[in-house]
Amino acid sequence: MSLVMTYASSARQPDPEPRPTWSRGAERPPGGPESSAVNGAANDSNVVPITAAHTARQGASRHADTSLPSPETSAKGKKSTPTAGKVRADALRMLGCVRIATVRQMAQVITAEESDGRSYVRRAMKELAELGLAETNGKAGKHPIWNLTPAGQKALADGNELPPRPKAGTGAKAVKAGFGPHGVAVTDAILAYGSRRSLTDWQVEVNHAIKEIGLSFNTDAVLAQPTATSEVRLFELDNGTMTQERLAREVWDYERYAGHRVWEGARGTNGRTFPFWQRHRYTRSERFPRLHVVLAGKAEHLLDNRRQALTADVQGIAIAVWVNTLPRLKRGEPWYEIGVDDPDRRRRRYPEPPGR
C-alpha cells in the first residue's frame, strides 16, 4: 500500500505501532500517519509550536476546518471551477503552510486533480501580488517561486485561517539566497506524501535545539497528525546539494537529539532522568518521531546509489529512519527502512546527566 493511499477516505485506520520486527534495509509499506500538537521546549531555541488544523484557537471554532478540500461537485456530477476569491484564499493558506510554491504546485492542490488549473492560479497570484499579499523573488527553472509577504501572513493570522505559527518566515530570504529549488522540492515531497486535506497539518523549517550540548538544526518539514505512539513525523530532504558525509551527519544529529536526557528532581533528592524530547518537546509521544529522508535533485539511478550509501553510513542508528527518493514517492512506492527505534540502546550510548 502506498503512502498516498493512507490518506484516501477508503484507507484503513492506522494500527498502533509495536516495536518493529522486520529486517533492517528491507522495503516496507508505511503504516498510518503519526503526530499532533507539540508543546514548546524549555531549552529549544526558535521553537515553532506544531498544531493540528483542528487545534482550538482564540476567536476560532474548536473544530473549524482549515483544510484545502477538493473542488466542489456540481449538480451534474462534475467538479466545478473554484471562484477567483476561493483560489486566492486557498493560495494564501497553502503558502502559509509550505512557505514556497510554484503555480504548478498550487494548482495541484487548489483545482481539480484531472484538470490544468494553472491559468486560474496565475490570475489569482497576480491579484494577490497587486494587493501586496504575495510576491516572487526567484525561479525554479523557468517557473516563478511564490511566497507570502508579511502582509499576507498577517491576513492569514487576522482571518484565523491557520493554526498559529508565530516564528514562521515568509521564505523570501531563502529564495533570494538561491535556496528556492530546495524549498520547491520540499513542497513536492509534502504533496507527494500527503493530500490537500492534510496540508494544514504540515509545518516547514522547524527548529530543534538543545542549547546545553550545542545542538541545533532545522527539520525541513514536520507532519502533525497523531497516532497511538507519536505526535509527528519528521522529514529531511536532500536536493542533491549535500555531500554524502554531511547528509549522514544530519541524520545522526537526530539520534543525538533523541538520546539527550535531562535530570529532574528537587535538590538533595534522588530524582530521575528523562529524554529531553519527551519531557520538553513531544510530550504526548511514547516513541521518538520517525525520520523520513527524501532524496531528490539527481537522476534516479544516482538517487538509488545515494540511498544505498546512506544506508551504510547510518548502520546501527538507534532511531526509526525511513528513506525514499522523490520519484519513487511520487509514484506511491514504499519506503526503505534503514534505522529502527531503540530507546534502550540510545540510553546506553549517551551519558546520563549529573544530578543536583
Side-chain angles (χ1 to χ4, degrees), residues 41-309:
N43 291 334
D44 282 18
S45 62
N46 300 322
V47 171
V48 182
I50 304 166
T51 52
H54 59 268
T55 300
R57 297 192 55 195
Q58 186 176 13
S61 168
R62 179 176 178 82
H63 300 289
D65 181 10
T66 58
S67 61
L68 298 173
S70 303
E72 295 179 358
T73 303
S74 67
K76 295 182 179 180
K78 297 182 179 180
K79 288 185 176 179
S80 57
T81 301
T83 64
K86 187 176 187 306
V87 174
R88 290 195 299 271
D90 281 349
L92 281 176
R93 278 198 294 271
M94 179 171 174
L95 289 175
C97 297
V98 302
R99 194 176 300 182
I100 289 171
T102 63
V103 164
R104 171 187 61 81
Q105 292 171 325
M106 287 186 278
Q108 181 180 340
V109 171
I110 296 170
T111 60
E113 293 163 329
E114 67 275 10
S115 66
D116 184 354
R118 283 178 286 185
S119 60
Y120 299 105
V121 176
R122 287 194 191 97
R123 189 178 307 123
M125 298 314 297
K126 181 180 178 181
E127 293 168 353
L128 289 173
E130 291 171 351
L131 293 170
L133 303 178
E135 63 184 2
T136 60
N137 290 285
K139 293 184 177 182
K142 298 180 180 179
H143 306 289
I145 301 171
W146 287 90
N147 60 267
L148 295 182
T149 63
Q153 287 183 316
K154 186 176 186 302
L156 280 176
D158 291 346
N160 286 326
E161 286 298 313
L162 287 178
R165 297 171 182 188
K167 293 183 181 294
T170 64
K173 291 182 180 179
V175 178
K176 291 176 181 178
F179 300 120
H182 177 272
V184 168
V186 170
T187 302
D188 269 337
I190 289 172
L191 298 182
Y193 187 89
S195 72
R196 54 169 55 86
R197 288 196 177 277
S198 68
L199 194 60
T200 52
D201 293 330
W202 289 88
Q203 195 164 327
V204 297
E205 290 300 314
V206 178
N207 183 256
H208 290 81
I210 305 176
K211 293 179 180 178
E212 61 188 79
I213 62 173
L215 179 64
S216 179
F217 56 88
N218 286 342
T219 301
D220 284 324
V222 176
L223 174 61
Q225 289 180 336
T227 66
T229 59
S230 189
E231 298 178 48
V232 300
R233 291 189 179 206
L234 310 174
F235 287 77
E236 279 292 334
L237 183 133
D238 169 42
N239 203 32
T241 57
M242 285 190 282
T243 64
Q244 188 64 47
E245 292 76 13
R246 182 185 168 195
L247 176 60
R249 187 167 62 249
E250 289 198 355
V251 174
W252 280 103
D253 278 345
Y254 282 90
E255 193 202 70
R256 288 182 60 202
Y257 189 89
H260 183 68
R261 299 180 70 84
V262 291
W263 191 92
E264 291 186 5
R267 188 178 299 276
T269 65
N270 290 333
R272 292 180 60 190
T273 63
F274 300 89
F276 170 87
W277 65 269
Q278 198 170 41
R279 208 64 173 173
H280 295 297
R281 189 65 186 252
Y282 301 114
T283 59
R284 302 179 186 178
S285 297
E286 295 179 9
R287 294 187 176 277
F288 185 73
R290 182 186 301 143
L291 174 63
H292 298 73
V293 181
V294 181
L295 306 176
K298 293 181 178 293
E300 193 161 358
H301 72 283
L302 297 177
L303 295 179
D304 286 334
N305 293 341
R306 201 162 175 81
R307 172 184 58 79
Q308 294 170 13

Side-chain angles (χ1 to χ4, degrees), residues 19-39:
R19 183 180 295 275
T21 57
W22 51 89
S23 59
R24 184 182 306 279
E27 255 189 319
R28 181 181 183 275
E34 301 175 20
S35 0
S36 106
V38 175
N39 294 330

